Amino acid sequence: MSQRTNHRTLYLVLLSLFLLIGILLFAIVFLIPKGKEYRTLRLESKKEQQLINRAQDRYGYVNKKLEKLKSEHARTMEAFQTAFNPEKFTKMNHQDFQDLYLTEIQMADHNGSFKVYEVNATTKIISPQAFYNFLEKINKSDWIIAVNFPVYFERDGDKIKSSFTMKVHTNGFHPEK
């Protein structure tokens, strides 16, 4: 029986040695190269994650800034979307002037986002204060309007006639209302 135990022990040792060699070969052939590849991929992944985090932080910062600007300039953005209506403009500002005429000036060099109007107005006042009130009113209006200077004032008895041009921003995507 002792010999049989020795054979079993020998078979067990040989089997263990064969398994140990198989495990070592498996580790050398598959695990070590994959481990190296895993480490390089993990380092690349960390670098990519850092870039993603920086980009997300930048996006968050820019998005907060955009929302702040949108809230601060909501009225201006809405004015850019509002189409200019000359009849409505004349009706709104007619009470400040005795006569108010708008004439669109065709310009060859404009890019299509601005229309230029010449405004001729006559009012019964002693001073040009009505004009300054008019400027305040158009500054608070629903349109983007720039008054071009010089403004010409001409006295005609008890009336003051004024003439000036203004640029009105028109959004080409919205039809005039």
Side-chain angles (χ1 to χ4, degrees):
M1 200 143 168
S2 150
Q3 229 177 8
R4 194 161 225 218
T5 308
N6 286 340
H7 285 293
R8 283 186 183 170
T9 306
L10 181 65
Y11 290 139
L12 188 58
V13 169
L14 286 176
L15 182 64
S16 296
L17 187 62
F18 179 71
L19 286 175
L20 181 64
I21 291 171
I23 290 173
L24 286 174
L25 284 174
F26 177 76
I28 291 170
V29 172
F30 293 109
L31 291 181
I32 292 174
K34 293 295 180 182
K36 288 180 182 177
E37 184 181 338
Y38 170 75
R39 283 191 298 275
T40 58
L41 289 175
R42 188 179 70 195
L43 287 174
E44 287 178 20
S45 174
K46 283 185 180 181
K47 289 178 185 176
E48 292 291 327
Q49 189 61 41
Q50 287 176 345
L51 290 174
I52 289 171
N53 289 341
R54 281 190 214 140
Q56 285 176 339
D57 291 344
R58 177 78 176 147
Y59 173 79
Y61 170 75
V62 170
N63 196 31
K64 284 181 185 176
K65 192 173 181 179
L66 174 67
E67 292 302 320
K68 180 182 173 189
L69 288 173
K70 277 184 179 179
S71 67
E72 287 175 359
H73 302 289
R75 190 170 181 282
T76 304
M77 289 172 51
E78 184 179 317
F80 269 111
Q81 298 302 321
T82 305
F84 181 69
N85 186 335
E87 292 83 23
K88 185 176 177 184
F89 176 82
T90 305
K91 189 183 288 185
M92 281 177 51
N93 296 299
H94 192 69
Q95 66 268 12
D96 294 333
F97 299 98
Q98 185 177 0
D99 296 317
L100 179 66
Y101 302 104
L102 247 65
T103 309
E104 184 175 348
I105 300 172
Q106 298 297 328
M107 296 178 58
D109 62 341
H110 74 86
N111 62 2
S113 65
F114 287 95
K115 288 187 178 178
V116 178
Y117 290 90
E118 182 177 359
V119 178
N120 293 310
T122 305
T123 181
K124 280 188 168 183
I125 56 171
I126 298 173
S127 72
Q129 184 62 39
F131 176 73
Y132 297 114
N133 293 340
F134 166 75
L135 287 179
E136 283 295 319
K137 188 183 285 186
I138 65 168
N139 193 30
K140 295 176 183 175
S141 71
D142 293 337
W143 304 295
I144 304 293
I145 299 174
V147 174
N148 295 337
F149 291 93
V151 176
Y152 299 102
F153 293 103
E154 180 182 330
R155 186 160 181 93
D156 184 19
D158 62 344
K159 299 178 183 176
I160 295 178
K161 294 181 180 179
S162 61
S163 177
F164 57 94
T165 60
M166 64 182 193
K167 281 187 177 178
V168 179
H169 176 78
T170 58
N171 191 341
F173 300 114
H174 297 283
E176 293 185 7
K177 295 176 183 175

